[in-house]
């Protein structure tokens, strides 16, 4: 009371927004106009390419799966090679419930898939997340392999290697039925599910919880030092990420109306990792860009030139790891910074010298 | 008598497979221990060397020892080039970049092999002196398997002696334990790493060639056996020759038994065991409990 406030304090109290860093932080989570673009593109795709809707479903499922991995890997920094374990858990949950006619309603089916995958994520995370580095990589990889072999062994229930074909999936809201031959309902359903999950994830990563995850990724020791419950937060994040991967898997099973062992393998885990890193991890839209670029290239190149596709993919991965760690979005951001930096410097120079 | 023969046969077959696994993985263990580099592409060097060995024998009619030597040196030379120009840039990068980079290398090797040689599996023609049966008293068994087990034991012994008794082995052990301290003492870790990387890749090449007869050899090799190499290394312990030797032998025997008696999904026990071991000892069987 008695001490007069210094001018600097006054300025800080009156106009904290003047500080460019504070302003940037406050603006970060605002919804930008361009964020409508992916959703407009998603709707436009429905009308523009009616013949490619099942490809579109695959694309949406891959985006959702990559988003879930982004939460664990991009935000909390958990390096996992076994994320397909949760995708597969969700897919088999939906598939087995549908095959035996226990539960065919799609929306609650996805919630059940999330529950099953989330429980597996929570239980495995409780023990796995104590480790780091190669040990963590191996443990996630082995957990996935364990589930894969379990699904292979329990062939009486899971269909083994052949999987479960032609799942009966109920209509959405009891009205919109899935047509197994034409994927229009499936596409719109998948787009809606992706939108809901994305809004959830966007809110989550900009919340205080999400910020603390970024802190854990950037400097885990400092987060321990300031008293953040690091292990609990990482476990919660891993569980949510697993549940979301389960939704992606469930959606995959519903839109394709089948489940097989390919849901659980190293191939799928590696592919989603490549998709995410290609787009740029730790940024919400990396999953979108990565999935579109990867699947479009795969769809059109891999069938015609499979070997060249693999060679090109390998060279691309090496290039990204060596020179473009932020993926496509990181590269775009760097270019933009450079360009806009040059522009603002030129403007300043013009203003300074009238 | 019959049961004894059956058990002996299973154990010998498993030990032979485990020996091949050891020869391929030992270099990976040492290089990972030295630099902490997650090199998933190690199997690609085994495949590259395996192809050199098999092709020189089948097409150029080289003898088995000459082909093995050629595979060893050819692969070691290639690995030095890759290490100098590519791997080196990523030593200080995160694991994620290393994983991505080495997965990319695997794809390049797979595609390259498919383009140059073709996608069909290659078969190794054993020299006549190794292709018969050997009388071991209680059981007749394939000469080649016995030969592999003996060779593997000699290699393990040789590497172990190098580690324990020579100057360079001491430098490697010191660097695995504490790299910064070793650097402070004037050990040239970069050079040490290049040497061990080349040697490890050469050993992988020999493993690829020796194992081609029963593991098969086709362009998918580096992905097909990736998990086994990683299990051997992580269970055995990074930078530990003896640990990897035991882990590989156990893994070989277990895998042999399980694929024989439970062909459908029997490998589940291998993964479960690996998880349990790594949870109890995150640094592997030979590593300490935790840092």
């Amino acid at each position: 009371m008695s001490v007069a406030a210094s001018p600097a304090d006054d300025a800080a109290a009156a106009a904290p927004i003047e500080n460019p860093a504070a302003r940037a932080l406050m603006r970060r989570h605002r919804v930008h106009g361009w964020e409508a673009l992916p959703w407009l593109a998603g709707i436009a795709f429905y009308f523009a390419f009616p013949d490619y809707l099942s490809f579109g479903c695959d694309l949406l499922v891959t985006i959702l799966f990559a988003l879930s991995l982004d939460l664990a890997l991009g935000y909390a920094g958990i390096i996992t090679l076994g994320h397909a374990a949760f995708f597969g858990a969700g897919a088999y949950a939906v598939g087995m419930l549908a095959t035996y006619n226990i539960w065919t309603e799609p929306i609650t089916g996805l919630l059940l898939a999330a529950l099953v995958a989330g429980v597996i994520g929570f239980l495995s995370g409780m023990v796995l997340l104590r480790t780091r580095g190669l040990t963590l990589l191996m443990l996630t990889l082995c957990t996935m392999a364990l589930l894969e072999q379990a699904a292979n062994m329990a062939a009486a229930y899971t269909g083994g290697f052949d999987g479960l074909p032609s799942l009966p999936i109920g209509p959405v809201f009891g009205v919109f039925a899935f047509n197994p031959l034409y994927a229009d309902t499936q596409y719109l359903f998948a787009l809606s599910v992706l939108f809901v999950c994305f809004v959830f994830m966007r809110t989550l990563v900009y919340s205080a919880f999400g910020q603390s995850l970024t802190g854990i990724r950037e400097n885990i020791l400092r987060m321990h030092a300031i008293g953040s419950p690091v292990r609990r937060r990482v476990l919660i994040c891993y569980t949510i990420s697993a549940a979301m991967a389960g939704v992606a898997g469930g959606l995959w099973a519903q839109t394709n109306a089948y489940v097989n062992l390919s849901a659980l393998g190293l191939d799928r885990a590696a592919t989603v990792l490549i998709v995410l890193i290609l787009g740029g991890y730790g940024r919400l839209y990396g999953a979108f860009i990565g999935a579109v670029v990867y699947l479009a290239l795969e769809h059109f190149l891999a069938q015609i030139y499979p070997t060249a596709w693999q060679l090109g993919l390998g060279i691309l991965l090496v290039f990204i790891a060596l020179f473009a760690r932020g993926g496509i979005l990181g590269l775009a951001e760097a270019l933009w910074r450079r360009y806009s930096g040059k522009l603002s410097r030129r403007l300043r120079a013009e203003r300074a010298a009238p | 008598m019959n049961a004894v023969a059956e058990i002996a046969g299973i154990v010998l077959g498993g030990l032979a497979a485990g020996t091949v696994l050891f020869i391929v993985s030992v270099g990976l263990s040492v290089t990972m221990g030295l630099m902490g580099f997650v090199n998933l592409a190690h199997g690609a060097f085994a495949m590259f060397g395996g192809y050199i060995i098999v092709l020189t024998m089948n097409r150029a009619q080289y003898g088995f020892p000459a082909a093995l030597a050629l595979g060893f040196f050819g692969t070691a030379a290639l690995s030095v080039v890759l290490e100098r120009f590519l791997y080196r840039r990523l030593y200080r990068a995160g694991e994620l970049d290393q994983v991505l980079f080495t997965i990319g290398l695997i794809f390049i090797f797979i595609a390259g092999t498919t383009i140059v040689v073709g996608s069909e599996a290659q078969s190794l023609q054993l020299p006549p002196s190794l292709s018969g049966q050997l009388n071991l008293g209680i059981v007749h068994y394939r000469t080649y398997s016995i030969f592999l087990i003996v060779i593997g034991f000699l290699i393990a012994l040789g590497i172990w002696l190098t580690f324990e008794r020579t100057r360079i082995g001491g430098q490697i052990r010191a660097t695995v334990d504490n790299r910064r301290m070793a650097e402070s003492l004037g050990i040239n870790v970069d050079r040490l790493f290049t040497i061990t990387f080349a040697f490890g890749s050469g050993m992988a090449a020999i493993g690829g060639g020796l194992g081609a007869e029963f593991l098969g050899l086709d362009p998918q090799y580096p992905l097909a056996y990736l998990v086994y190499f990683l299990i051997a290394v992580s269970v055995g312990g990074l930078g530990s020759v003896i640990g990897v030797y035991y882990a590989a032998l156990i893994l070989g025997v277990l895998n042999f038994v399980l694929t024989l008696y439970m062909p459908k999904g029997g490998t589940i026990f291998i993964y479960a065991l690996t998880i349990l071991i790594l949870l109890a000892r995150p640094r592997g069987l030979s590593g300490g409990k935790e840092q």
Side-chain angles (χ1 to χ4, degrees):
Chain A
M1 269 315 263
S2 62
V3 180
S6 72
D9 283 348
D10 262 350
I17 313 293
E18 282 308 303
N19 183 339
R23 206 166 46 195
L25 277 178
M26 293 194 61
R27 270 190 189 169
R28 245 159 61 95
H29 58 276
R30 223 166 48 182
V31 179
H32 298 276
W34 56 263
E35 289 189 79
L37 278 179
W39 309 107
L40 292 178
I43 295 166
F45 185 93
Y46 177 80
F47 293 106
F49 303 104
D51 296 336
Y52 286 96
L53 287 183
S54 56
F55 169 72
C57 285
D58 270 353
L59 187 64
L60 296 172
V61 167
T62 309
I63 293 175
L64 184 56
F65 188 27
L67 266 180
S68 76
L69 179 64
D70 202 11
L71 192 60
L73 187 141
Y75 283 91
I78 305 164
I79 299 177
T80 160
L81 267 182
H83 216 54
F86 310 120
F87 186 91
Y92 272 101
V94 164
M96 284 161 72
L97 286 174
T99 304
Y100 303 110
N101 266 312
I102 303 168
W103 201 270
T104 56
E105 205 285 316
I107 296 176
T108 41
L110 288 184
L111 290 178
L112 286 172
L115 185 73
V116 170
V119 167
I120 293 177
F122 179 76
L123 292 178
S124 64
M126 256 193 333
V127 284
L128 303 190
L129 293 175
R130 294 160 198 272
T131 60
R132 278 183 300 146
L134 176 70
T135 314
L136 179 60
L137 274 180
M138 283 311 299
L139 285 173
T140 52
L141 192 62
C142 284
T143 311
M144 180 174 73
L146 195 75
L147 281 183
E148 189 185 3
Q149 293 308 320
N152 192 11
M153 269 176 106
Y157 306 100
T158 61
F161 185 77
D162 302 323
L164 303 170
S166 41
L167 303 174
I169 302 294
V172 184
F173 298 129
V175 182
F176 305 105
F178 285 178
N179 179 349
L181 295 178
Y182 187 59
D184 55 345
T185 318
Q186 285 94 314
Y187 181 84
L188 292 178
F189 179 62
L191 190 64
S192 319
V193 171
L194 176 63
F195 183 72
V196 172
C197 289
F198 177 76
V199 170
F200 169 73
M201 175 151 161
R202 193 183 184 286
T203 316
L204 188 75
V205 301
Y206 286 127
S207 70
F209 175 78
Q211 299 295 321
S212 76
L213 290 180
T214 311
I216 291 167
R217 182 193 66 200
E218 293 297 323
N219 194 333
I220 190 165
L221 288 177
R222 196 167 288 180
M223 290 306 278
H224 274 299
I226 64 170
S228 172
V230 170
R231 189 166 280 173
R232 198 167 71 208
R233 296 240 162 110
V234 169
L235 180 59
I236 293 173
C237 170
Y238 194 65
T239 307
I240 296 175
S241 165
M244 219 159 119
V247 173
L251 196 61
W252 178 75
Q254 288 172 346
T255 54
N256 287 314
Y258 65 76
V259 189
N260 57 23
L261 280 181
S262 81
L264 273 166
L266 181 60
D267 269 4
R268 190 169 294 275
T271 303
V272 73
L273 193 68
I274 293 169
V275 162
L276 179 63
I277 291 168
L278 179 64
Y281 60 98
R283 36 187 111 220
L284 288 170
Y285 288 95
F288 289 78
I289 302 274
V292 170
V293 170
Y294 182 92
L295 284 190
L297 285 176
E298 188 198 31
H299 191 80
F300 294 108
L301 280 181
Q303 260 104 51
I304 318 171
Y305 312 105
T307 310
W309 152 250
Q310 207 166 28
L311 185 66
L313 185 64
I315 293 173
L316 186 71
L317 289 179
V318 169
F319 176 81
I320 288 179
L322 288 176
F323 304 113
R325 307 236 170 115
I328 294 175
L329 277 187
L331 213 58
E333 204 175 270
L335 281 177
W336 166 253
R337 282 228 178 102
R338 203 158 155 190
Y339 174 73
S340 64
K342 258 185 201 155
L343 200 73
S344 65
R345 265 201 300 283
R346 210 174 61 206
L347 285 176
R348 236 178 293 148
E350 277 169 8
R351 241 179 281 146
Chain B
M1 200 59 198
N2 213 1
V4 175
E6 195 180 333
I7 292 172
I10 289 168
V11 170
L12 287 175
L15 287 180
T19 298
V20 168
L21 198 58
F22 163 71
I23 297 174
V24 174
S25 318
V26 65
L28 183 63
S29 158
V30 178
T31 49
M32 270 187 175
L34 272 179
M35 278 293 182
F37 193 101
V38 183
N39 183 14
L40 301 185
H42 191 73
F45 292 121
M47 176 182 73
F48 183 81
Y51 266 91
I52 294 184
I53 291 165
V54 171
L55 291 182
T56 49
M57 285 178 72
N58 288 357
R59 298 197 183 163
Q61 311 297 330
Y62 276 54
F64 201 33
L68 286 177
L70 204 64
F72 180 91
F73 288 111
T75 310
L78 175 80
S79 76
V80 168
V81 173
L82 288 178
E83 199 269 331
R84 287 272 150 176
F85 288 103
L86 299 175
Y87 278 77
R88 179 144 296 206
R89 295 162 181 270
L90 286 169
Y91 288 155
R92 298 195 197 293
E95 288 149 28
L96 188 60
D97 291 313
Q98 297 171 350
V99 166
L100 196 65
F101 167 72
T102 48
I103 289 181
L105 269 190
I106 292 180
F107 284 155
I108 294 175
F109 269 97
I110 291 178
T113 311
T114 312
I115 291 169
V116 175
V117 189
S119 58
E120 69 277 7
Q122 303 291 323
S123 60
L124 179 71
Q125 294 297 322
L126 288 176
S129 55
L130 290 175
S131 50
Q133 299 266 329
L134 204 63
N135 188 354
L136 292 177
I138 44 167
V139 58
H140 287 266
Y141 208 70
R142 301 178 55 219
T143 313
Y144 186 61
S145 297
I146 309 294
F147 164 77
L148 278 182
I149 295 170
V150 173
I151 286 280
F153 178 74
L154 291 178
I155 288 176
L157 192 68
I159 297 178
W160 182 72
L161 282 176
T162 312
F163 264 52
E164 298 295 322
R165 293 277 182 270
T166 66
R167 185 175 177 80
I168 196 163
Q171 291 180 342
I172 291 173
R173 279 184 294 133
T175 312
V176 169
D177 279 348
N178 190 334
R179 179 155 139 232
R180 291 171 75 174
M181 194 63 214
E183 276 175 331
S184 316
L185 290 173
I187 295 174
N188 187 343
V189 172
D190 270 7
R191 198 177 56 102
L192 197 63
F193 187 71
T194 307
I195 295 171
T196 45
F197 194 79
F199 180 76
S201 308
M203 289 310 297
I206 289 190
L210 288 177
E213 195 251 347
F214 55 92
L215 290 181
L217 194 62
D218 62 69
Q220 299 300 325
Y221 183 92
L223 277 181
Y225 296 106
L226 173 65
V227 180
Y228 283 88
F229 302 146
L230 287 175
I231 289 179
V233 169
S234 57
V235 168
L238 296 184
S240 157
V241 177
I242 300 302
V244 175
Y245 187 53
Y246 287 142
L249 291 188
I250 295 170
L251 188 57
V253 174
L254 255 183
N255 191 45
F256 199 85
V257 172
L258 289 174
T259 43
L260 196 64
Y261 291 107
M262 290 180 68
K264 206 168 189 180
T267 45
I268 193 170
F269 295 107
I270 289 180
Y271 300 119
L273 193 65
T274 305
I275 292 175
L276 289 178
I277 290 175
L278 285 182
L279 285 176
R281 301 186 77 107
R283 286 151 65 75
L285 286 176
S286 66
K289 272 210 119 170
E290 211 164 347
Q291 265 181 333

